[in-house]
Amino acid sequence: MIEVKELTKDYHIRKGLFKPFNIVNAVKGVSFSINQGEKIGLIGLNGAGKSTLMKMMSGVLKPTSGSVRVNGFVPYKRENSFLKSIGVVMGQKSILLYDIPVKDSLKYYKEVYGIDDKTFKERLSYYDEILNLKELYETPVRKLSFGQRMRCELCASLLHNPKILFLDEPSIGLDAVSKLAVRDFIKRINAEKGTTVILTTHDMQDIEALTHRVMLIGKGQILLDGSLEELKKRVSDKKEVRIKHSGKTPTLCEGMNYLEQKDDKLKISLDPKMISVSEGIAYLSRETELIDLEVSDISAEEMVARLYKEYQI
Ligand code: ADP
């Protein structure tokens, strides 16, 4: 559905009228493909090229060279049928009309996309069920909190039921309740409507909750592309063991290392190549009085930190 080949974007910037142009290679010859229904997370430090890549896929920017095809369309040509097949939500930019009530903004997009009354009603009630919009319909957009606006933004961007949703930092600046509502919404439209979701994020919970495939972008290139599980394994096959104890702090045996210690809680990394998980647990329970125990793979956050280190980005 999305085919990207040798895609490149250079920005030409100059700091003054008579100054020479500087070239910034924001995206450097990347290639990948994405299938219908995938949930992709683009991660990387600021300036890595994530937004530029997303803007080329969504038709906001014309590539310098290489090609991008989205459902057969060339995005930057911005043909109507292409625009009707995508939804774009950029955290900082609003597509809602500032001074009028939310419901009128939604009606405006109903007309823009030529949606009939019955479908409009059905979609609104579907979106309202997940995003709790009804109470906001009469409020002018300028009076909405950021979280409320984001919920309305999602509704307006998806009113036409696009096949692909592009999201730039969907949960940045959101309060906890809106964050969950937004995540729930994205998960549901993917599961129930098969919408392809492509998002950039710095939020590791977003990645855990919303993506099944992660692309790590660094200096305009794709450094890694794989499932979260694969990436975690690649970085480390170590386990994280968290315990709460009421006895003395246990000394650790070979194959275990302290990660964090706070009062009666301890975070340990365990190397299964040196000691099996069950041996490790047996050892710890001999060492101290265990109250609680949890074994997990390393967290997404830690994974990303290590990847950044590995690739020195
Ligand atoms: P990210 O989304 O990963 O933070 P961007 O795609 O925004 O990265 O930026 C990639 C590189 O391109 C950065 O070096 C950035 O400064 C540069 N850049 C982005 N947009 C522009 C622009 N409109 N003009 C000039 N340079 C830009």
Side-chain angles (χ1 to χ4, degrees):
M1 117 173 282
I2 299 183
E3 280 294 335
V4 171
K5 284 198 193 115
E6 295 294 321
L7 193 64
T8 297
K9 179 72 194 179
D10 298 332
Y11 292 109
H12 295 248
I13 43 173
R14 93 174 144 173
K15 298 217 167 88
L17 195 54
F18 301 107
K19 298 262 169 70
F21 278 104
N22 277 335
I23 297 180
V24 179
N25 311 118
V27 174
K28 301 175 192 163
V30 304
S31 303
F32 56 87
S33 53
I34 293 173
N35 293 321
Q36 176 77 44
E38 284 203 80
K39 289 176 287 179
I40 313 267
L42 303 177
I43 60 171
L45 299 180
N46 287 334
K50 305 178 297 290
S51 307
T52 304
L53 188 56
M54 194 119 112
K55 283 178 184 162
M56 287 193 280
M57 290 192 275
S58 56
V60 178
L61 276 179
K62 185 178 172 182
T64 306
S65 65
S67 75
V68 49
R69 289 274 153 118
V70 178
N71 282 328
F73 292 104
V74 177
Y76 75 84
K77 291 190 177 160
R78 301 182 66 78
E79 288 163 75
N80 255 333
S81 338
F82 169 70
L83 296 177
K84 278 190 176 175
S85 73
I86 64 164
V88 182
V89 179
M90 305 269 168
Q92 314 309 326
K93 270 199 199 131
S94 179
I95 66 161
L96 299 166
L97 309 170
Y98 197 64
D99 276 320
I100 61 171
V102 170
K103 129 178 140 296
D104 295 336
S105 251
L106 295 174
K107 278 186 188 151
Y108 169 79
Y109 283 104
K110 168 185 180 295
E111 297 309 319
V112 169
Y113 288 112
I115 300 167
D116 65 64
D117 290 351
K118 186 168 162 272
T119 314
F120 181 67
K121 249 188 162 165
E122 280 167 8
R123 287 196 189 146
L124 271 198
S125 82
Y126 177 77
Y127 294 147
D128 170 55
E129 188 191 314
I130 321 172
L131 294 169
N132 258 326
L133 301 172
K134 251 191 200 125
E135 64 197 35
L136 307 174
Y137 282 165
E138 304 304 327
T139 314
V141 172
R142 68 186 144 80
K143 288 198 177 157
L144 297 176
S145 75
F146 186 70
Q148 291 170 334
R149 205 201 76 200
M150 190 66 179
R151 274 146 56 199
C152 299
E153 206 78 54
L154 274 171
C155 177
S157 309
L158 285 154
L159 212 49
H160 56 300
N161 205 11
K163 291 198 179 74
I164 310 172
L165 174 60
F166 293 99
L167 294 149
D168 203 0
E169 292 283 354
S171 58
I172 209 162
L174 290 186
D175 59 276
V177 175
S178 301
K179 217 179 232 188
L180 290 180
V182 166
R183 274 193 201 133
D184 187 32
F185 178 72
I186 297 170
K187 267 196 262 187
R188 276 187 64 176
I189 56 148
N190 171 266
E192 291 167 16
K193 297 179 182 242
T195 312
T196 306
V197 177
I198 301 173
L199 59 92
T200 70
T201 186
H202 286 288
D203 188 321
M204 293 309 135
Q205 284 170 337
D206 276 351
I207 297 186
E208 295 259 17
L210 291 176
T211 67
H212 79 288
R213 175 176 165 195
V214 180
M215 292 188 194
L216 176 71
I217 319 268
K219 298 188 180 144
Q221 287 171 315
I222 297 180
L223 303 176
L224 281 175
D225 180 350
S227 72
L228 193 55
E229 294 312 309
E230 276 164 18
L231 292 196
K232 277 187 185 173
K233 285 230 169 67
R234 195 199 139 95
V235 173
S236 160
D237 49 13
K238 293 203 176 89
K239 300 277 178 188
E240 219 173 80
V241 182
R242 290 159 198 263
I243 61 167
K244 196 172 158 193
H245 60 87
S246 66
K248 67 178 176 66
T249 303
T251 48
L252 301 182
C253 61
E254 225 179 314
M256 287 194 220
N257 278 306
Y258 292 109
L259 289 176
E260 233 177 80
Q261 184 177 358
K262 204 177 159 207
D263 305 328
D264 55 352
K265 293 195 188 89
L266 197 59
K267 200 158 102 182
I268 300 163
S269 106
L270 179 149
D271 186 348
K273 288 199 283 298
M274 297 175 75
I275 179 170
S276 74
V277 173
S278 59
E279 277 168 345
I281 294 170
Y283 172 83
L284 289 170
S285 60
R286 282 196 302 273
E287 279 291 298
T288 187
E289 192 72 28
L290 292 178
I291 299 174
D292 207 354
L293 176 125
E294 195 187 314
V295 184
S296 56
D297 289 326
I298 63 161
S299 66
E301 222 148 82
E302 205 166 316
M303 175 194 81
V304 170
R306 286 193 206 177
L307 286 174
Y308 287 162
K309 217 163 150 194
E310 185 185 333
Y311 285 95
Q312 300 186 331
I313 52 173

